[in-house]
Amino acid sequence: MTTTVNLESMSPEERSRLQTELSIEDEWRFLHQQMHEKHKGHESMHAWMILILLITIIVSQILLVEWKKRFPVSYQRVSLFAMWIIPLIISINHSWTRFILFWVLFTIITALVVSQALKTPMAGTTPRLVYKWFYLIYMISYALGVIGYLFVFLTLLGVNLLFQSLPQPWMDCGIMCLFYGLYYGVLGRDVADIITDKMAAKIGYYTESGIPVRQLEPHICCVCGNRILVQDNSNAIVEKTFNLSCGHTFHEFCIRGWCIVGKKQTCPYCKEKVDLKRMCRNPWEKPHVFYGSFLDFVRYLVAWQPVIFSGVQFFNYILGLE
């Protein structure tokens, strides 16, 4: 038969003496009872906290969907800013030096490349420089994603045991590579998506809506504004060209940068739908509904989830539920 101990009527000295005299099982029961009395009455508080969490998540999801639907440009800009800044704030708070160093390096180089694209007048070699940088980011991110996935997969298969290594370092390495690949891949694509519009509009052969302000001359690549190599033309850039179904011709690197790096699926001059199946050589580059939803999930996870949970903590603090 178990006897309930009235802890409230005992002094601290009596509680300590009683605890030393109890058996291991009774000691566990004693500590459990002490914990229960300490948190007595907190059940309703926990219920309110869960309710606030659920309501905040549902309301925020509805607001984000409506915002993206009604004002896609501002949603894209704010999401990009949040993706850029929030991980840095979290890393500084937790002293994650490695991420801070990579973030600073990426930010400095990207800022220099973007500043060249926004210059007026813009140099003819600038579009190729911009696409080369973001294509490099794309390839590095792709490689990191593959490496991270392999590390996680091999750890789940127990391959680490063949090297007499613990699973935790392998799993940590895999998750870190996956995060870096996804984060910088999505961030690079979003920056490239914005800067390609502005850069192409500066050249004059492209506008986001309406008719271009500049007539496309023969043998001109409207992505970079440079000439396409024709017979007896020594001033043109010597490289492969690509013909779209609409009849417009581009430098192969320029149109791949426009469609893949800049996520554009239309001709940069006449806006006719581009058949990317002819250009894309691997599944990662193919536009797909699931892939687009996955990118949106990464943006939500990195940019908006910390904001939502900060809002939940703020409401709990206001209501005295911490």
Side-chain angles (χ1 to χ4, degrees):
M1 182 176 180
T2 305
T3 303
T4 302
V5 181
N6 188 2
L7 298 174
E8 295 180 355
S9 61
M10 299 177 64
S11 65
E13 292 79 8
E14 291 174 330
R15 291 187 187 186
S16 179
R17 185 173 62 253
L18 176 63
Q19 187 174 356
T20 57
E21 295 174 355
L22 295 175
S23 64
I24 295 177
E25 182 179 352
D26 290 336
E27 182 178 358
W28 179 87
R29 189 178 293 110
F30 174 83
L31 293 174
H32 179 74
Q33 183 182 350
Q34 194 175 33
M35 178 85 59
H36 180 74
E37 290 186 5
K38 180 180 179 181
H39 294 278
K40 188 176 182 180
H42 286 193
E43 292 83 0
S44 60
M45 182 185 296
H46 295 161
W48 275 107
M49 292 175 71
I50 294 174
L51 182 61
I52 290 173
L53 175 63
L54 294 176
I55 292 176
T56 305
I57 290 176
I58 293 172
V59 172
S60 63
Q61 288 284 355
I62 295 174
L63 292 176
L64 288 174
V65 170
E66 288 299 317
W67 183 12
K68 183 180 179 181
K69 185 188 302 182
R70 297 174 184 270
F71 308 101
V73 176
S74 63
Y75 174 83
Q76 182 189 30
R77 301 294 194 272
V78 175
S79 297
L80 175 59
F81 179 77
M83 275 198 67
W84 207 306
I85 296 300
I86 289 177
L88 176 66
I89 296 174
I90 296 174
S91 299
I92 293 174
N93 187 45
H94 291 83
S95 300
W96 293 338
T97 309
R98 184 192 299 111
F99 178 85
I100 296 173
L101 292 176
F102 282 120
W103 185 93
V104 170
L105 180 64
F106 173 83
T107 300
I108 291 175
I109 299 177
T110 302
L112 292 174
V113 171
V114 170
S115 66
Q116 293 296 315
L118 298 179
K119 275 186 177 180
T120 303
M122 184 176 60
T125 57
T126 297
R128 300 171 66 81
L129 170 66
V130 172
Y131 289 132
K132 281 180 180 179
W133 167 244
F134 287 110
Y135 192 70
L136 175 64
I137 293 298
Y138 157 77
M139 294 302 295
I140 293 175
S141 302
Y142 176 72
L144 284 174
V146 172
I147 292 171
Y149 174 79
L150 286 176
F151 264 94
V152 172
F153 183 71
L154 293 175
T155 304
L156 294 177
L157 292 178
V159 176
N160 58 288
L161 298 177
L162 299 176
F163 298 90
Q164 297 181 349
S165 176
L166 295 174
Q168 193 63 41
W170 281 52
M171 189 65 73
D172 290 344
C173 181
I175 293 175
M176 182 186 68
C177 290
L178 280 174
F179 172 76
Y180 276 78
L182 289 173
Y183 175 71
Y184 287 107
V186 175
L187 189 60
R189 287 176 69 92
D190 288 348
V191 176
D193 186 30
I194 295 173
I195 205 62
T196 47
D197 278 342
K198 295 186 177 298
M199 187 171 58
K202 277 180 173 291
I203 296 175
Y205 297 115
Y206 168 83
T207 55
E208 294 185 28
S209 60
I211 301 174
V213 298
R214 190 174 175 183
Q215 183 71 28
L216 182 61
E217 301 90 347
H219 311 303
I220 293 291
C221 174
C222 71
V223 174
C224 65
N226 293 311
R227 294 190 64 82
I228 298 173
L229 178 65
V230 293
Q231 191 174 4
D232 299 329
N233 184 359
S234 59
N235 296 323
I237 296 176
V238 181
E239 69 171 58
K240 293 181 180 178
T241 58
F242 194 92
N243 240 346
L244 296 183
S245 56
C246 58
H248 294 120
T249 305
F250 308 88
H251 298 119
E252 184 179 16
F253 183 87
C254 291
I255 194 60
R256 285 180 65 83
W258 171 265
C259 295
I260 298 171
V261 179
K263 298 187 297 182
K264 311 298 183 185
Q265 298 181 31
T266 57
C267 172
Y269 183 71
C270 67
K271 297 183 176 63
E272 183 175 316
K273 184 74 173 178
V274 175
D275 183 14
L276 292 184
K277 292 180 181 179
R278 294 174 55 206
M279 299 175 57
C280 301
R281 297 191 176 95
N282 60 67
W284 180 271
E285 296 175 351
K286 292 181 181 179
H288 197 278
V289 175
F290 174 77
Y291 180 58
S293 301
F294 178 70
L295 294 181
D296 287 336
F297 173 73
V298 174
R299 295 184 188 98
Y300 171 80
L301 190 66
V302 176
W304 295 114
Q305 190 182 56
V307 175
I308 293 171
F309 279 97
S310 297
V312 171
Q313 290 182 346
F314 175 75
F315 287 128
N316 288 336
Y317 176 77
I318 293 296
L319 298 175
L321 298 176
E322 283 194 327

